[in-house]
Every structure is written in structure tokens, then in C-alpha cells.
Amino acid sequence: MSQTIPDEPVPPYVDPTKPSIARVYDAFLGGTDHYEVDREVVRGVTKAAPEAVDLAVENRAFLIRVCRYLATQGGITQFLDCGSGLPTAENTHTVVQRADPRARVVYVDNDPMVLAHSRALLEGDERTAVVAGDIFEPEALLRDGTVRSALDWDRPIALLQLGTLHHYNGEDVRTRQDVMRAYVDALPPGSYVAISHFLDPEDEHSRTARKMEAMFLHSMMGSGTFSTHDELARLFNGLELLAPGLVRCCDWRPDGPRLKPLTAGRRCIAGGVARKD
């Protein structure tokens, strides 16, 4: 994990006194685009549960495998990446456009730093767009002009909600399941939905999961809920899950055999991919 970022002026669109989910995630991944307030969250969580770094690592590895599979095996050439976060080594568009240069990607985020960095990275890329929006307001997002025009809504689309839904704090108004139902209802037939989420494994590692949850929720970030397998399965709203189903992220179509024992952190994030017929 990196310790500092270059001592440069803070951009006017960034509030360095409040942690950002995207910057905290970047810090967990060893990136450089974060501030002391973000590192404070990381230190607090990892002090209580050193395994927490594995959540970010496994989520990114899951994203890469899912995107590669959908582009090469699923024949998907359109991706709507919700809560995309700060650009890192392997982004959705680099993975899918390596498999198929025709692939189109729309990134959605509400973090000003994410939007600025992504737009700078993607300048001149006509097949990739960045949209400012609230991923937990699907009706408004799906009416966005760029979302409508950059993707062909008569053809299958891959909807990515990877490491996002556990940061939703509006359950008292609208459940995560209802948010996902709005997205699923809008997707064309043949589309795919990919979700990864913090997991309470309901075994001897539940204590670790709930300890990490408490640290996230009581940090300045204020979000990061761990859910059970049954709770996560409901987010797919009855869609048919691809094999191997809803499993720990590390168990979803791994690149090779497991050579090391699983840490508690790797046991506490799950993911799955489902198809809409």
C-alpha cells in the first residue's frame, strides 16, 4: 500500500477533508490518488482487520475476469460500469477492448476526482465515455443523454455493479433489491448483470466480516455493509446465474489453481454474473 501522494495543490473540485470511496479504494490497491483523510480510513480498518486489503484486491481481480469472460465468451460489446472508481492498471475498457476493439464502455461515477482523471485518460477515445451520475438513482441515470446515445439499448449490455452496492445507505427509502430491479427491467434481453459485494460468510469468519463492517461504517466514510449469501442472491432479482453461481470472488472462474490458503478477507467478498433472457 502506498504511503503518500505527491505534494501538489488540491484541485478545486476535491474536498480533502472528507474521505472518498474511490480514493479509499485506490489507497487499498496501492495507488497514488488519495489524501491523508482517505489513508486514515484505510489505517483504521486495517488496524482492526488487516485482511481488509484483500477485499479491494479480490474485487479488482473479479472485475478483470468478468469483463474478459463477457467480452470473449459472452459476445458482449457494450458495458455500463457503475461506480467505476479511479483509473488503475486494468480498467473495464482496456480489458474488453483488448478482446474486441469495437467494445463500448460507459463509466458512471459521482466523485469529481474520478470524473476528472477518467476524462483525461479517455480523451480522444470515441468508444468510451464518462458520465457524472448517482448510480443509486437508476431511473435518472438511464435517462442520461450519453448513457442513451453511447450504448445501443436494442442490443445486449453488461451492467457492472462491482464493489458498489455495499456502499448504499438508502435502505430505509429504497432497498438495494429495488435499485437493481430498476436496472434489470431496463436492460435488453440477452444482457448480463455482474455484482460483487462484501460478504458475511456465516461461519467462523463472520466475526472478521462484522469487524470490518463496523470499522467501515464508523469511519468518516460511513459505508460498507456486509451481507449474507441469501441477501446477495436477491439482488439478482431472479435472473439465471452463470456457473459457478454466486460464490466468493476468488472462486469465480479463477485463472488457475489455488496455491495458497484463503485469508479471511478473501472469504468475505462474493460475486456473480447473471443473464437476462
Side-chain angles (χ1 to χ4, degrees):
M1 186 183 305
S2 60
Q3 300 300 312
T4 59
I5 60 173
D7 187 15
E8 297 177 351
V10 178
Y13 50 79
V14 171
D15 183 352
T17 67
K18 296 180 181 179
S20 150
I21 292 171
R23 297 197 311 261
V24 168
Y25 185 47
D26 181 70
F28 270 119
L29 286 172
T32 58
D33 294 307
H34 44 82
Y35 296 94
E36 179 58 26
V37 68
D38 308 302
R39 295 191 290 276
E40 183 178 340
V41 172
V42 173
R43 285 194 296 268
V45 173
T46 53
K47 182 178 180 180
E51 307 91 344
V53 67
D54 290 337
L55 299 174
V57 173
E58 287 299 331
N59 187 66
R60 175 56 55 170
F62 178 72
L63 178 150
I64 293 170
R65 295 197 306 276
V66 166
C67 289
R68 187 174 62 216
Y69 174 83
L70 291 177
T72 60
Q73 305 299 316
I76 298 297
T77 60
Q78 304 189 103
F79 294 77
L80 180 59
D81 188 347
C82 295
S84 51
L86 285 160
T88 186
E90 284 282 83
N91 301 293
T92 298
H93 75 282
T94 56
V95 175
V96 301
Q97 289 173 358
R98 185 183 304 124
D100 188 338
R102 301 170 301 166
R104 292 185 175 274
V105 177
V106 174
Y107 290 115
V108 184
D109 212 293
N110 63 353
D111 187 303
M113 180 178 278
V114 170
L115 298 170
H117 280 233
S118 297
R119 286 168 177 156
L121 174 70
L122 298 169
E123 186 176 5
D125 186 340
E126 297 181 353
R127 307 197 74 81
T128 310
V130 183
V131 171
D134 185 344
I135 64 170
F136 301 132
E137 294 290 340
E139 291 84 1
L141 176 59
L142 294 171
R143 289 194 301 267
D144 178 88
T146 299
V147 172
R148 300 306 304 179
S149 63
L151 303 175
D152 181 351
W153 288 81
D154 292 322
R155 296 173 50 244
I157 294 169
L159 172 71
L160 309 180
Q161 288 278 12
L162 303 181
T164 56
L165 294 169
H166 47 236
H167 292 298
Y168 179 58
N169 284 332
E171 287 284 332
D172 56 333
V173 177
R174 187 183 196 185
T175 68
R176 291 170 300 162
Q177 188 174 352
D178 289 335
V179 169
M180 286 306 301
R181 182 176 294 113
Y183 278 113
V184 171
D185 287 349
L187 290 173
S191 294
Y192 290 85
V193 174
I195 298 173
S196 62
H197 196 289
F198 293 161
L199 171 72
D200 176 351
E202 299 182 280
D203 58 19
E204 67 271 22
H205 301 286
S206 287
R207 184 174 179 274
T208 299
R210 294 306 176 184
K211 185 166 61 172
M212 290 189 287
E213 178 183 67
M215 289 304 303
F216 280 122
L217 295 179
H218 294 99
S219 72
M220 291 180 65
M221 193 168 69
S223 64
T225 302
F226 286 65
S227 298
T228 66
H229 184 280
D230 288 347
E231 290 170 335
L232 298 185
R234 289 195 285 272
L235 297 177
F236 288 95
N237 285 289
L239 296 178
E240 180 182 357
L241 282 157
L242 304 184
L246 174 60
V247 295
R248 292 176 302 212
C249 285
C250 59
D251 292 330
W252 197 91
R253 301 178 184 266
D255 290 329
R258 181 176 299 131
L259 301 178
K260 297 180 180 179
L262 288 181
T263 64
R266 296 179 72 193
R267 296 175 184 272
C268 292
I269 184 166
V273 179
R275 187 178 187 274
K276 178 179 179 179
D277 293 326

